[in-house]
């Protein structure tokens, strides 16, 4: 019992370590003073200034567009890749394919960014595409490194999934495409949703790869934050961070509510099935 | 007939796999070949700033064209000859190791406490660990700037308690980098540790206690060895991204906090020396990423064999 007491202390210390910095950040976003760490009274003026900062809002809009597009593309590609790894058995080039799926997970961002930039430059020289760098190249880069995460999520979901459902449908004469859309897809839908959310978050968070592959005039939100943070702290960034955290917390809260509800529904269905049988 | 259907099925599968396959070939594998090629090139004041490797030399008098391939190893010789690169490489490994140990020391008790908590409370407690991961990495690093800088929260607290009278700055030092990186990667350590500790059979500890084993000894001889897979998985998850880290040392570290990711960035953006940046990338790949992937592969095989 005494040991558990010590453990509880360790746990609370860990949570304090994780949350105190975030709490301070939110607290100082309502600070009147320009000196972020000296309290000068309550104020929401930094939020008002934030909403008038066109450069920042433009970057935020670009980042959201890139994140939505690359998350969608990487969910499509990653689902197919995960399906191939979990269900297609051994096919020619599977080892290389598996390697290329897992390698981006351990690749330092600076290398991914540099290599993609050099590819885009070489492609532009050779075939004239992509014409300059901007939203398209950032989206392609983000799709490439986030699809690995989606593929891993989908693959692990499929491996734990009973294959007999799909086999039964096949035996009853359903074509592979139909089996995928009617049986497999609905079952792995939660994994697809979490894959999309993860890809979206990773894209919205990336500063290194985007810095390599972006061109003049296409600055993403993390790039703006990074360059302004490099020259010290600013209350506007505190306000922005607070807003971002409110959005994330709300999103996660809603997602966990929906998932808990689905889980209850599933358990109820299972019970009904058992009783009915 | 069945054979034909099978063939169509296989062909369909092939088409399905082809899309992500080609995407990865084009946007993941081919870029490395280009990086390797450019690492053998020479920096030049041009657009793009490197000398072409392959050139067609047209000899108009003789009416012939010659293919000229220029490879130069000077970029790699520079990496081996200049202390900067070797130091940066070693320092990256050192910082990543310290970060991993800090995460382990902080994360193990947390994971253990959560695994020991009542089953209904484990989910929410884990959720609290993962939640910060969903907020921006950059913002979380930024939060520490306000805490660690001179006149920041830590400094004010120390001056208020009278421990220091001089302004005290932790920011722009290796310490700040350790704190920031431990902060960011802690969830990566807790997650796999919790997964293994939760599966641990508590009756094993009871048996040890019944046989007169003290709690500490039981922990060292039973719990710790059994949680080794979680320790290895968590350490890899922290170590791998730490080694190539750029953002944290750039924002929290001092100008002398050398890390290989930062060196690559500076060669590329500040010096505009694309060939040397490429050579740094290739060296990092060979000496770090490839060994890690091999280790992971072997590790995965062993876990599978152990089952």
């Amino acid at each position: 019992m005494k040991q558990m007491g010590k453990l509880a202390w360790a746990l609370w210390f860990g949570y304090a370590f994780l949350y105190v910095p975030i709490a301070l950040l939110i607290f100082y976003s309502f600070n009147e003073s320009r000196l972020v760490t000296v309290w000068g009274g309550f104020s929401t003026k930094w939020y008002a200034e934030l909403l008038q900062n066109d450069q920042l809002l433009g970057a935020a809009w670009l980042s959201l567009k890139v994140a939505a597009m690359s998350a969608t593309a990487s969910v499509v590609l990653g689902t197919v890749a995960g399906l191939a790894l979990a269900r297609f058995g051994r096919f020619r080039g599977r080892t290389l394919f598996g390697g290329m799926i897992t390698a981006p997970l351990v690749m330092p961002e600076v290398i991914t960014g540099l290599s993609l930039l050099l590819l885009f430059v070489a492609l532009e020289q050779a075939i004239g595409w992509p014409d300059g760098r901007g939203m398209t190249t950032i989206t392609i880069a983000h799709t490439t490194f986030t699809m690995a995460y989606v593929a891993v999520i989908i693959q692990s979901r499929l491996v734990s999934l009973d294959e007999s459902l799909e086999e039964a449908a096949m035996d009853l004469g359903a074509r592979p495409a139909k089996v995928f859309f009617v049986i497999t897809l609905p079952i792995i839908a939660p994994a697809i949703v979490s894959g999309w959310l993860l890809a979206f978050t990773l894209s919205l968070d990336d500063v290194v790869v985007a810095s390599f592959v972006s061109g003049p005039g296409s600055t993403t939100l993390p790039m703006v934050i990074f360059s302004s943070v490099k020259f010290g702290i600013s209350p506007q960034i505190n306000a922005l961070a607070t807003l971002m955290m409110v959005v994330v917390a709300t999103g996660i809260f809603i997602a966990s509510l929906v998932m808990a509800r689905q889980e209850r529904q599933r358990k109820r269905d299972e019970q009904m099935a058992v009783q009915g049988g | 007939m069945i054979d034909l259907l099978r063939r169509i099925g296989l062909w369909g599968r092939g088409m399905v796999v082809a899309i992500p396959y080609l995407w990865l070939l084009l946007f993941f594998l081919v870029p490395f070949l280009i990086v390797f090629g450019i690492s053998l090139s020479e920096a030049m004041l041009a657009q793009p700033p490197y000398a072409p490797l392959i050139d067609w030399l047209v000899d108009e008098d003789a009416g012939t064209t010659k293919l000229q391939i220029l490879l130069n190893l000077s970029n790699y010789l520079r990496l081996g000859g200049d202390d900067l690169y070797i130091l940066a490489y070693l320092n990256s490994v050192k910082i990543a190791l310290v970060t991993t140990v800090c995460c382990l020391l902080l994360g193990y008790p947390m994971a253990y406490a959560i695994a020991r908590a009542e089953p209904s409370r484990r989910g929410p407690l884990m959720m609290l660990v993962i939640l910060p991961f969903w907020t921006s990495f950059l913002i979380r690093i930024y939060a520490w700037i306000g805490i660690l800088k001179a006149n920041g929260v830590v400094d004010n607290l120390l001056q208020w308690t009278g421990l220091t009278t001089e302004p005290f700055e932790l920011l722009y030092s290796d310490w700040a980098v350790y704190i920031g990186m431990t902060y960011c990667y802690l969830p990566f350590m807790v997650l796999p540790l919790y997964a293994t500790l939760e599966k641990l059979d508590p009756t094993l500890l009871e048996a040890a206690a019944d046989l007169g084993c003290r709690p500490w000894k039981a922990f060292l001889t039973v719990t710790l060895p059994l949680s080794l897979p979680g320790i290895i998985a968590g350490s890899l998850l922290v170590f791998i991204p730490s080694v190539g880290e750029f953002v944290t040392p750039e924002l929290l570290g001092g100008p002398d906090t050398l890390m290989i990711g930062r060196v690559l960035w500076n060669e590329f953006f500040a010096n505009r020396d694309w060939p040397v940046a490429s050579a740094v990338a290739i060296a990092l790949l060979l000496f770090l990423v490839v060994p890690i992937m091999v280790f992971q592969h072997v590790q995965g095989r062993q876990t599978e064999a152990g089952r």
Side-chain angles (χ1 to χ4, degrees):
Chain A
M1 209 53 224
K2 196 181 160 200
Q3 216 193 354
M4 196 62 212
K6 269 187 209 155
L7 269 180
W9 274 107
L11 189 58
W12 291 123
F13 178 76
Y15 284 136
F17 179 63
L18 285 175
Y19 284 97
V20 166
I22 295 176
L24 284 170
L25 195 74
I26 295 173
F27 177 71
Y28 281 118
S29 76
F30 295 105
N31 188 359
E32 168 81 40
S33 163
R34 177 165 279 283
L35 296 164
V36 177
T37 50
V38 178
W39 186 248
F42 180 84
S43 151
T44 52
K45 72 173 180 190
W46 303 114
Y47 290 87
E49 262 186 38
L50 187 69
L51 294 178
Q52 280 158 8
N53 189 337
D54 286 334
Q55 188 213 2
L56 218 130
L57 290 181
W61 178 232
L62 175 74
S63 278
L64 286 174
K65 277 191 290 189
V66 167
M69 283 192 299
S70 65
T72 309
S74 87
V75 155
V76 173
L77 291 168
T79 305
V80 173
L83 191 76
L85 285 174
R87 286 290 189 263
F88 287 9
R90 302 212 65 79
F91 54 88
R92 206 179 299 156
R94 189 187 190 278
T95 318
L96 178 67
F97 189 58
M100 285 195 300
I101 288 287
T102 46
L105 302 176
V106 299
M107 199 57 66
E109 286 167 316
V110 278
I111 296 187
T112 313
L114 177 72
S115 65
L116 276 165
L117 170 75
L118 294 182
L119 171 80
F120 291 139
V121 170
L123 274 179
E124 194 180 359
Q125 273 186 315
I127 58 169
W129 180 91
D131 189 15
R133 289 178 294 281
M135 198 162 92
T136 320
T137 49
I138 304 175
T139 309
I140 290 174
H142 283 182
T143 306
T144 307
F145 85 82
T146 53
M147 73 178 272
Y149 291 86
V150 179
V152 169
I153 292 178
I154 299 289
Q155 188 197 355
S156 61
R157 178 79 189 104
L158 279 172
V159 165
S160 68
L161 184 75
D162 194 0
E163 219 170 322
S164 55
L165 275 177
E166 287 152 294
E167 277 165 10
M170 293 264 227
D171 287 349
L172 294 170
R175 286 167 178 268
K178 193 168 182 191
V179 173
F180 175 74
F181 285 108
V182 178
I183 310 282
T184 316
L185 201 60
I187 302 179
I188 60 171
I192 290 179
V193 171
S194 44
W196 193 90
L197 284 174
L198 184 62
F200 187 83
T201 317
L202 288 170
S203 164
L204 209 54
D205 208 14
D206 166 67
V207 56
V208 176
V209 176
S211 300
F212 275 99
V213 298
S214 78
S218 59
T219 314
T220 62
L221 185 63
M223 286 165 69
V224 175
I225 299 178
F226 183 71
S227 58
S228 70
V229 163
K230 252 187 92 162
F231 301 109
I233 49 182
S234 93
Q236 267 191 39
I237 299 290
N238 280 45
L240 177 72
T242 307
L243 287 182
M244 281 167 77
M245 272 184 273
V246 168
V247 171
V248 167
T250 322
I252 288 180
F253 184 68
I254 292 172
S256 56
L257 273 188
V258 170
M259 274 203 252
R261 206 163 134 195
Q262 276 178 347
E263 184 72 17
R264 272 203 303 274
Q265 180 70 37
R266 197 177 60 82
K267 276 196 181 145
R268 213 178 302 147
D269 287 352
E270 268 173 19
Q271 259 175 2
M272 298 263 278
V274 169
Q275 280 163 1
Chain B
M1 184 62 200
I2 287 173
D3 198 48
L4 187 74
L5 272 179
R6 236 179 76 86
R7 272 208 194 151
I8 292 175
L10 282 180
W11 188 78
R13 280 184 166 191
M15 289 298 287
V16 167
V17 185
I19 307 163
Y21 212 137
L22 289 177
W23 180 284
L24 284 172
L25 278 181
L26 177 60
F27 293 116
F28 193 73
L29 204 63
V30 171
F32 287 122
L33 300 179
I34 297 176
V35 172
F36 183 63
I38 289 173
S39 75
L40 295 171
S41 150
E42 228 173 322
M44 228 170 65
L45 275 178
Q47 191 63 260
Y50 53 85
L53 281 181
I54 302 170
D55 234 348
W56 293 99
L57 295 180
V58 184
D59 193 343
E60 292 201 347
D61 298 334
T64 54
T65 38
K66 272 191 280 182
L67 176 68
Q68 178 191 276
I69 302 177
L70 284 174
L71 298 178
N72 90 73
L73 288 170
S74 65
N75 299 315
Y76 288 99
L77 293 177
R78 207 174 124 188
L79 290 194
D82 194 335
D83 280 350
L84 169 83
Y85 302 101
I86 298 165
L87 274 178
Y89 180 83
L90 292 177
N91 212 33
S92 302
V93 173
K94 185 189 97 183
I95 290 182
L97 277 178
V98 173
T99 306
T100 310
V101 171
C102 289
C103 281
L104 190 61
L105 290 179
L106 200 62
Y108 200 100
M110 286 181 80
Y112 192 78
I114 298 174
R116 281 289 116 88
E118 284 168 43
S120 62
R121 287 176 61 191
R122 288 179 199 164
L125 285 174
M126 266 326 275
M127 191 71 197
L128 277 176
V129 174
I130 305 167
L131 201 61
F133 169 76
W134 287 94
T135 65
S136 165
F137 178 84
L138 204 54
I139 298 279
R140 281 180 291 151
I141 291 293
Y142 168 71
W144 280 98
I145 297 182
I147 298 176
L148 299 175
K149 75 189 190 84
N151 263 319
V153 177
V154 169
D155 187 21
N156 286 345
L157 209 66
L158 286 177
Q159 293 202 22
W160 180 70
T161 52
L163 280 172
T164 54
T165 44
E166 301 278 299
F168 174 76
E169 183 163 66
L170 265 175
L171 192 62
Y172 309 128
S173 70
D174 283 8
W175 291 103
V177 177
Y178 296 143
I179 294 174
M181 280 171 56
T182 306
Y183 181 68
C184 281
Y185 294 125
L186 186 61
F188 291 160
M189 180 62 91
V190 178
L191 217 60
L193 277 177
Y194 168 73
T196 49
L197 285 170
E198 196 215 1
K199 274 185 257 158
L200 203 88
D201 191 352
T203 52
L204 289 175
L205 286 177
E206 281 167 27
D210 286 348
L211 294 170
C213 188
R214 291 178 169 273
W216 259 109
K217 199 159 179 221
F219 174 78
L220 287 178
T221 50
V222 179
T223 312
L224 202 59
L226 282 175
S227 61
L228 207 60
I231 294 177
I232 293 174
S235 300
L236 276 176
L237 281 179
V238 175
F239 184 82
I240 292 168
S242 302
V243 167
E245 181 63 54
F246 164 75
V247 174
T248 319
E250 182 74 10
L251 291 181
L252 299 182
D256 55 338
T257 309
L258 271 182
M259 282 190 81
I260 198 79
R262 222 173 157 188
V263 168
L264 195 159
W265 179 283
N266 285 336
E267 288 295 351
F268 184 83
F269 284 103
N271 302 346
R272 268 186 82 76
D273 196 334
W274 292 17
V276 166
S278 303
V280 172
I282 294 292
L284 186 58
L285 213 60
L286 283 183
F287 291 114
L288 218 68
V289 179
V290 170
I292 285 171
M293 287 187 74
V294 170
F295 179 78
Q296 265 188 329
H297 188 73
V298 172
Q299 189 67 33
R301 282 248 173 109
Q302 275 177 355
T303 343
E304 251 170 53
R307 258 175 213 162

